[in-house]
Amino acid sequence: MDYELREEQKKFKSDFRAFCEKEIVPRAMKIDREGAFSFENHRGLAEIGFLGLPFPKQYGGEGKPLLTCVLAWEELARSCPSTFLSSGIGCLLPGMAVNLFGTEEQKQKYLRGLVRGEKMAAWAMTEPQTGSDTGSIKTEARREGNSYRLNGTKALVTNGPIADWAVVMAVTDTQAVPNQKMSAFLVEKGTPGFSAGPPLDKLGARGSPTSDLILQDCILPGSGLLGEEGKGYALLEKVQHFGRLSSAGYSLGVAQACLEEAVLYAQKRQAFGRPIAHFQEISFKVADMQMFVDTGRLLLYRTAWMMDEGMDADSDLSIAKLFLSESATWCAANAVQIHGGHGFLKGCKAEQLYRDAKLGDLRDGTSEMQRRKIALNLLGEGFR
Ligand SMILES: Cc1cc2nc3c(=O)[nH]c(=O)nc-3n(C[C@H](O)[C@H](O)[C@H](O)COP(=O)(O)OP(=O)(O)OC[C@H]3O[C@@H](n4cnc5c(N)ncnc54)[C@H](O)[C@@H]3O)c2cc1C
C-alpha cells in the first residue's frame, strides 16, 4: 500500500496550484461579487489542458487518470469554486456522457470543441418538480419517424445560460419499466424550440451561471440521440459517478481554502494581548478542520484510484462526497466563526466560502441521497 503521490503527480499538483494562484485566485472575489462567469479563466484553463484532462487524446484530451484529475479539481475549487463548477463539473458531465456513450461522429463533433474551450456544455437532468427522484422526470421525447419531438423544462442547469450544447434526459417510453423509460439527447443552442431561461440568482457559486432549459416542440434528428433509446438510465448512473467524484473535489477545495483562511487569520488577529490562535477554542477548531480535510482527501484519492483501477466504487463515491461536503460546510462555518464579525462581511473570503460550501450538500445527489445509497449497498434491496 502506497499513500505517497508519485513525483510527477506532486509536480503536476504544485504546477497547477501555481497557475491557479497567478491566473484564477486574483479574479475569484470579483467573479463572486459580480455573479459573472469568467470566460478568461475558461480560456486559460483550456490552454493549459485542464478541460481535456479526463478525455482521450484522439479527441484533443489529455487522457489522464481520474486521480490526476482530482488533484487539479481540488486546486481549482480551492482557488475559485464558481470557476470549478462551470469549467470543471459543468463541462465534465456532458463531456463524459458523450465520451462514454457517443458515436465516433458525436465524439469528434462535441468533445473537441469542449476540450479546446470553444464550446460550453451543460448536463440537464433536474426538473422543476423533481431532482433526487430521477425516475419522475416528465420531459418527453416522442419519436416521429426518424426524429424526436422534445417537450419539457429542465431546472437548475449549470451553464444553462451559456451552453452551446446540452445533454438532455427525457422519457421516450412512458409505459416502460423505470430503468428503460428514458434516453439522452444532444441538443444544440439555436435549435428551434430550445431556449434558456434567465440566469438564476444564487446563494453561492455565484460566478457559475445557472438557468432553466426549455424545450417546446423542439425537433431533433435521430442523430441527436446519445446512446441507445431506452438506455438513458445506464448513462445517468455512469455520469452520476463523475458527478459525485467531481462534487467531492469541489468540497475538498472549499474545505482546504477554509482551513488556510482560518489559520492565517488566527495567527494574525490579536485579542487579549495575543494572537487568537493561542486560545484553545480557536486552535482546536483549526485542528479539527485539518482532520476533516485530510480524512476527506484520503477518501477522495482512494475513490479516484479505485475508479482508475476499474473497481466498484459506488459506496466509496458516496462516502467521499458525503464526508467532504459536510466537512466543507463545517469548516466554512468555523472559518467565519474564527473571523468574528468581520467574517460576516462581503469582501471576506470566509464569507464567500461559507456560501459556496453549501452547494456540496445539494448537487450531484443530496447528503440524504448519499446516505440512502450507502445504506442500500449495505442493507440490500429490502432496505428500499
Ligand atoms: C447551483 C446548482 C447547480 C446545479 N446544477 C445542475 C445541473 O447542471 N444539472 C442538473 O440536472 N441539476 C443541477 N442541479 C440540481 C441538483 O442536482 C438538485 O437540486 C438535486 O438533485 C436535488 O434535487 P431537488 O433540488 O429537486 O430536491 P428534492 O429532490 O426535491 O429534495 C428536497 C429535499 O428532500 C430530500 N429528499 C428527497 N428524496 C428523499 C428521500 N428518498 N429520502 C430522504 N430525503 C429525500 C433531499 O435530500 C432534499 O433535502 C443544480 C443545483 C444547484 C443548486
Side-chain angles (χ1 to χ4, degrees):
M1 203 172 222
D2 187 0
Y3 283 105
E4 192 66 77
L5 289 177
R6 290 195 307 272
E7 281 313 310
E8 74 263 22
Q9 291 169 320
K10 284 190 207 162
K11 182 166 178 340
F12 172 82
K13 192 167 193 273
S14 74
D15 287 352
F16 193 73
R17 174 173 287 206
F19 165 83
C20 289
E21 286 290 334
K22 184 161 174 271
E23 304 292 338
I24 308 288
V25 172
R27 284 193 278 268
M29 299 285 277
K30 185 166 178 274
I31 286 171
D32 174 69
R33 196 171 54 247
E34 295 177 357
F37 175 68
S38 170
F39 285 97
E40 211 175 341
N41 279 355
H42 192 72
R43 278 192 296 274
L45 287 163
E47 269 166 35
I48 61 156
F50 172 85
L51 302 179
L53 280 176
F55 298 115
K57 290 189 173 162
Q58 69 257 42
Y59 310 113
E62 303 283 319
K64 295 288 185 201
L66 288 170
L67 179 53
T68 306
C69 299
V70 163
L71 301 178
W73 295 346
E74 172 190 346
E75 290 302 328
L76 185 56
R78 169 188 170 271
S79 306
C80 180
S82 288
T83 298
F84 177 54
L85 179 57
S86 271
S87 300
I89 306 176
C91 292
L92 174 79
L93 305 196
M96 269 301 161
V98 172
N99 184 38
L100 297 174
F101 293 88
T103 60
E104 182 58 26
E105 203 182 337
Q106 287 170 334
K107 291 183 201 183
Q108 292 290 355
K109 180 172 178 191
Y110 293 102
L111 285 183
R112 285 194 176 276
L114 189 72
V115 163
R116 285 198 205 116
E118 294 161 359
K119 303 279 182 192
M120 290 298 296
W123 165 256
M125 177 71 216
T126 305
E127 298 189 354
Q129 80 293 346
T130 191
S132 310
D133 182 7
T134 51
S136 295
I137 61 165
K138 291 207 171 99
T139 296
E140 213 181 323
R142 263 174 210 252
R143 199 182 243 287
E144 293 183 350
N146 198 27
S147 321
Y148 292 92
R149 181 185 294 269
L150 274 71
N151 277 295
T153 300
K154 293 294 176 180
L156 289 162
V157 180
T158 296
N159 294 344
I162 54 171
D164 296 287
W165 57 272
V167 173
V168 173
M169 302 302 294
V171 175
T172 35
D173 185 351
T174 48
Q175 305 306 314
V177 291
N179 65 3
Q180 285 168 27
K181 262 168 61 169
M182 64 172 121
S183 308
F185 293 89
L186 286 157
V187 189
E188 291 181 28
K189 185 176 171 177
T191 307
F194 180 56
S195 61
L200 300 166
D201 199 6
K202 305 198 299 298
L203 173 74
R206 294 177 58 78
S208 165
T210 316
S211 72
D212 284 356
L213 288 179
I214 301 133
L215 300 124
Q216 261 177 336
D217 289 324
C218 172
I219 310 285
L220 285 187
S223 60
L225 180 69
L226 177 61
E228 284 177 57
E229 189 178 310
K231 298 283 170 64
Y233 187 75
L235 179 148
L236 171 67
E237 281 215 315
K238 271 270 182 215
V239 170
Q240 281 177 335
H241 283 147
F242 294 95
R244 280 184 280 161
L245 192 76
S246 53
S247 222
Y250 174 97
S251 296
L252 174 58
V254 170
Q256 173 67 35
C258 292
L259 169 63
E260 290 174 35
E261 290 299 312
V263 167
L264 276 179
Y265 195 77
Q267 287 172 328
K268 114 183 147 192
R269 178 71 173 177
Q270 299 271 330
F272 300 94
R274 48 194 165 141
I276 59 169
H278 290 200
F279 301 118
Q280 197 181 79
E281 291 79 355
I282 301 295
S283 62
F284 278 17
K285 282 189 179 47
V286 294
D288 284 352
M289 281 188 196
Q290 174 85 70
M291 173 180 72
F292 286 131
V293 168
D294 273 9
T295 309
R297 184 177 284 118
L298 281 172
L299 286 171
L300 181 56
Y301 286 10
R302 184 189 67 172
T303 305
W305 170 82
M306 287 173 75
M307 289 173 76
D308 284 332
E309 295 295 311
M311 295 160 76
D312 173 15
D314 195 38
S315 280
D316 306 80
L317 274 164
S318 289
I319 292 168
K321 200 249 174 195
L322 174 62
F323 184 86
L324 274 162
S325 66
E326 296 196 346
S327 296
T329 51
W330 189 91
C331 290
N334 281 285
V336 170
Q337 192 66 22
I338 288 171
H339 281 72
H342 300 279
F344 202 65
L345 301 181
K346 291 282 174 198
C348 174
K349 182 84 181 166
E351 184 269 346
Q352 181 211 310
L353 292 167
Y354 182 73
R355 290 182 287 100
D356 289 345
K358 188 60 198 162
L359 179 61
D361 293 333
L362 303 171
R363 242 206 85 122
D364 297 298
T366 61
S367 294
E368 290 79 6
M369 297 315 285
Q370 303 308 333
R371 284 193 167 84
R372 282 183 65 82
K373 167 117 1 225
I374 298 162
L376 182 67
N377 285 341
L378 275 173
L379 303 170
E381 281 296 319
F383 162 74
R384 276 187 206 273

